[in-house]
Amino acid sequence: MRESLLSFWVRWWRHRWMDERAAVRAVPPALAEQLQARVKASEARHSGEIVLCVEAALPNSYLWRAGRETPLPVVIRERALSWFGKQRLWDTEHNNGVLIYLLLAERRVEIVADRGISRHVPDAHWQAVVLHLGEHLQTGDFDSGLTQALQEVSALLVQHFPLQPDEANPNELCNRVIWA
């Protein structure tokens, strides 16, 4: 179903109005540092990799397709998959990378999990994590929402990919929050 021309332009302006500064306002540097420390502490307990990406708005190429050629949720998922690839989360030793993606302009959350962890965790469980995070984000509580999401993802990685007592996670990817 194609969206109306008015809806398209309203969406386009909303996305053009927001930029990386909106992502930094949503997750300020102090919170980003706390989240980075939480990711690091999490990765000390399992062999997985977790990346947080906060994107203010979709690029024009994605916006053009959203609602006109492709349903918006599909376009947002494609964008999250693109970030997953850009961060090389598919390139971890055990294929157990997880991307937590926030798209501020649409107030949407996506979790992309690599095939190693997806074999163990059903989609319904990932959707529950998305729902919990989304509830916090609707009230503007990014700190609690992202902390809870990290805890839930970490618990899954610890359950399925725990480190042995003498083992260490080589930290294959950067732990910083990505603002876009």
Side-chain angles (χ1 to χ4, degrees), residues 6 20 23 29 37 42 44 49 65 73 85 90 94 107-108 110 114 117 133-135 145 147 158 161 171 180:
L6 177 62
E20 188 176 322
S42 166
E49 295 291 327
R65 291 189 355 261
W90 47 264
H94 301 289
R107 297 180 181 198
R108 294 288 305 260
E110 287 286 333
D114 204 355
I117 186 71
L133 176 54
E135 289 169 354
T147 297
V158 168
F161 295 94
N171 197 23

Side-chain angles (χ1 to χ4, degrees), residues 137-180:
L137 298 182
Q138 290 301 324
T139 63
D141 190 0
F142 285 79
D143 187 356
S144 296
L146 288 168
T147 297
Q148 181 178 351
L150 284 172
Q151 290 170 343
E152 291 179 31
V153 169
S154 182
L156 292 169
L157 288 165
V158 168
Q159 178 183 352
H160 299 291
F161 295 94
L163 290 177
Q164 301 306 314
D166 60 338
E167 194 178 17
N169 185 335
N171 197 23
E172 299 169 89
L173 302 171
C174 178
N175 294 333
R176 71 177 175 81
V177 173
I178 299 162
W179 291 296

Side-chain angles (χ1 to χ4, degrees), residues 43-62:
E43 291 177 358
R45 299 174 30 225
H46 56 76
S47 64
E49 295 291 327
I50 303 171
V51 173
L52 297 171
C53 177
V54 181
E55 187 165 41
L58 291 171
N60 284 336
S61 60
Y62 284 82

